[in-house]
Amino acid sequence: MSDTAFQTQYRKEFILGFEDMQSRLRSTTITETVIKGNTATFLVADSGSAEAVTRGVNGLIPARADNNSQLSATLVEWHDLVRKTRFNIFASQGDQNRLMQQTTMGVLNRKIDDDIISQLDTATNDTGTAATASLDLVVNARTILGNNYVETDDEDNLFACVSPAFMAYMLQVKEFASADYVDVKPLTGGKSMKYKRWAGFNWIEHPRLPGSVGAGGDSTSESCFFYHRNAIGHAVDKDNMETPVGYDQEQDYSWARASTFMGSKLLQQSGIVKVLHDGSAYVAQ
C-alpha cells in the first residue's frame, strides 16, 4: 500500500502562447476613419513635376493645372468568432472567457497588418536581388527615396519595416547599435520603445513579412519595406468596430467576436522601396 498520494497543482492564470497579437503597421499609414460606404478615396495631389516658365511673347504667363490623383481602398468586412460551451469553460484551466476576448482581438490585429503588407508588397522600387542586411543596403534604400523627392529628413513619417533576420544583422552594425552613433540605444532601450529610430527611419521588426519564415517562406528572399507614411493609406470604420461578448442561454455556450470593415491602398509608388533580404542564415535548423 502506497504512503503517498501526489496531487497535481494547476495554475489558475493562463499563459498566452507565442502568437502575433498586435498591429504594428496601422499607425504608420495615412488612416481614414470617417467612412460611409464600401470605399474610401484618398487624394494625392502635386504639380505634376511642373517647371517654372517665363512670360510668353504675347505678354501672358502660361497657366497650368495641378495633378490630382484619386485612389480608392475597398473596404471588406473581417471577423473572428470564438465559441465555448459552459462545460468547457467550467472544466478548463484558466479564465477561458478572458482568453476568448484576447485571442479574437489578436486575430483581427494580424489581419490589419496583413492587409497593409499586401499593399506594401506591390511596390515597384527595389534594391535588386536579395542580399543580407548592411549599412550599404539601408543607405541604398534611403537614396532611392531621396531620388524620388521623398523628404528623407522627415523622421516622424519614415519607416523601415524589416524581418527579425534583417534586424539581427543590423544589431551587428556598429553605426546602428553603438552609443557613439545613436541617441536611443537599441540594445538597452526599455519596453516603452515602440520604434527604434536610426538613419532617419523608425524601425519596426515584423515577423510576417512576405518570404519570411513567419509568413511560410524560407527567408532566402524576404520582402522588407522602407517607406513614407504618405505612400500607404488604410481605411477602417473605427466607430463601428465591434468586440462584443455574449452568452447563449438556449444552447449554453459563451462567445466572443471581433469585427471590422477595412481596406488598404498603396498611394504613391515613389514613396516605397522594397528591400529583398536573404535571412536564411538565421533560420532555425
Side-chain angles (χ1 to χ4, degrees):
M1 184 169 139
S2 174
D3 61 354
T4 59
F6 296 117
Q7 176 176 302
T8 300
Q9 177 67 42
Y10 290 94
R11 190 174 187 271
K12 184 177 181 180
E13 288 295 319
F14 64 80
I15 300 171
L16 279 174
F18 293 116
E19 190 175 34
D20 201 9
M21 300 289 286
Q22 60 180 316
S23 170
R24 296 169 170 83
L25 301 183
R26 181 166 55 187
S27 61
T28 73
T29 68
I30 295 295
T31 306
E32 175 57 53
T33 59
V34 182
I35 297 170
K36 185 66 175 178
N38 72 331
T39 60
T41 301
F42 298 84
L43 173 63
V44 178
D46 56 37
S47 69
S49 300
E51 297 181 356
V53 297
T54 188
R55 191 179 296 273
V57 293
N58 59 0
L60 300 178
I61 299 173
R64 65 167 181 85
D66 277 326
N67 179 46
N68 292 310
S69 299
Q70 293 177 291
L71 299 106
S72 296
T74 300
L75 275 71
V76 179
E77 59 173 328
W78 297 103
H79 308 274
D80 182 62
L81 173 64
V82 60
R83 180 185 298 143
K84 296 178 182 180
T85 67
R86 185 166 62 91
F87 178 76
N88 284 343
I89 293 174
F90 165 76
S92 297
Q93 184 180 1
D95 186 344
Q96 295 293 314
N97 282 307
R98 184 162 63 90
L99 178 63
M100 286 194 296
Q101 295 176 51
Q102 288 188 234
T103 59
T104 194
M105 278 303 303
V107 170
L108 204 61
N109 282 332
R110 288 197 294 274
K111 187 60 189 180
I112 290 170
D113 274 16
D114 290 345
D115 194 62
I116 294 171
I117 289 171
S118 69
Q119 287 297 304
L120 289 172
D121 201 34
T122 64
T124 55
N125 295 316
D126 62 60
T127 55
T129 57
T132 57
S134 64
L135 177 60
D136 181 69
L137 192 59
V138 173
V139 172
N140 188 4
R142 187 179 187 275
T143 301
I144 293 173
L145 290 174
N147 288 339
N148 287 332
Y149 304 105
V150 175
E151 295 181 20
T152 53
D153 60 351
D154 189 9
E155 295 186 344
D156 289 339
N157 293 305
L158 286 170
F159 300 93
C161 182
V162 301
S163 68
F166 194 111
M167 187 64 76
Y169 279 104
M170 293 308 300
L171 289 172
Q172 300 172 64
V173 175
K174 66 178 182 179
E175 291 86 355
F176 184 82
S178 173
D180 294 333
Y181 296 92
V182 296
D183 295 326
V184 180
K185 304 168 185 58
L187 297 179
T188 60
K191 187 177 180 180
S192 62
M193 292 174 58
K194 188 170 185 180
Y195 304 125
K196 299 175 178 67
R197 180 172 290 187
W198 180 76
F201 295 95
N202 297 286
W203 290 73
I204 306 165
E205 184 178 331
H206 205 295
R208 295 195 325 283
L209 296 181
S212 67
V213 172
D218 60 8
S219 289
T220 57
S221 184
E222 304 171 329
S223 293
C224 301
F225 306 99
F226 289 66
Y227 61 99
H228 192 284
R229 185 190 306 274
N230 289 353
I232 183 78
H234 178 70
V236 58
D237 187 13
K238 185 177 180 180
D239 291 341
N240 292 311
M241 182 180 292
E242 294 185 340
T243 56
V245 296
Y247 172 73
D248 186 289
Q249 190 171 22
E250 180 183 14
Q251 294 296 326
D252 195 19
Y253 64 79
S254 295
W255 56 270
R257 174 172 58 83
S259 299
T260 191
F261 310 146
M262 66 177 179
S264 304
K265 184 67 176 178
L266 188 148
L267 304 178
Q268 300 187 74
Q269 286 283 0
S270 58
I272 302 178
V273 177
K274 181 189 295 187
V275 177
L276 296 179
H277 179 250
D278 183 357
S280 57
Y282 285 106
V283 175
Q285 302 300 317

